[in-house]
């Protein structure tokens, strides 16, 4: 391999490492902080006075990560194919 090929393959290798690291994080810690309520579980109504449960996280302050959604979908497809 010459140096140009090595330099061209570095961004691809970095992308693979970052992706696998994120999927590993999703396996170990499937829930992240809710961005809508800043992990408090409560949001203000449109009028600004009434505090209600966050509809994005159902008042828990946690949400399922996007990567975990992907893992769950792939697992469900695999289980469906085995039937």
């Amino acid at each position: 391999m010459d140096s140009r090929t090595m330099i061209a393959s570095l961004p691809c290798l970095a992308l693979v490492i970052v992706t696998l690291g994120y999927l590993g994080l999703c396996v170990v810690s499937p829930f992240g902080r809710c961005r809508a309520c800043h992990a408090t579980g409560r949001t203000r109504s449109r009028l600004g006075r009434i505090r209600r449960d966050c509809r994005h996280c159902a008042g828990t302050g946690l949400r399922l990560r996007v990567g975990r959604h992907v893992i769950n979908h792939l697992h469900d497809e695999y289980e469906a194919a085995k039937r």
Side-chain angles (χ1 to χ4, degrees):
M1 246 198 306
D2 64 341
S3 62
R4 281 189 251 176
T5 307
M6 186 81 101
I7 291 172
S9 66
L10 284 178
C12 296
L13 181 63
L15 182 64
V16 168
I17 290 172
V18 168
T19 302
L20 290 177
Y22 178 69
L23 289 177
L25 174 70
C26 290
V27 168
V28 174
S29 176
F31 294 100
R33 293 175 41 148
C34 179
R35 293 186 203 114
C37 65
H38 305 288
T40 61
R42 310 282 290 169
T43 56
R44 291 191 183 267
S45 68
R46 291 185 184 205
L47 298 176
R49 303 191 103 171
I50 302 169
R51 307 252 323 152
R52 295 189 175 140
D53 285 344
C54 177
R55 60 189 174 106
H56 298 280
C57 65
T60 62
L62 299 174
R63 60 163 176 81
L64 200 59
R65 295 181 193 271
V66 174
R68 190 59 194 206
H69 278 290
V70 171
I71 292 170
N72 289 347
H73 177 71
L74 291 175
H75 183 266
D76 291 343
E77 289 293 320
Y78 176 74
E79 291 296 321
K82 285 191 341 185
R83 291 185 211 151

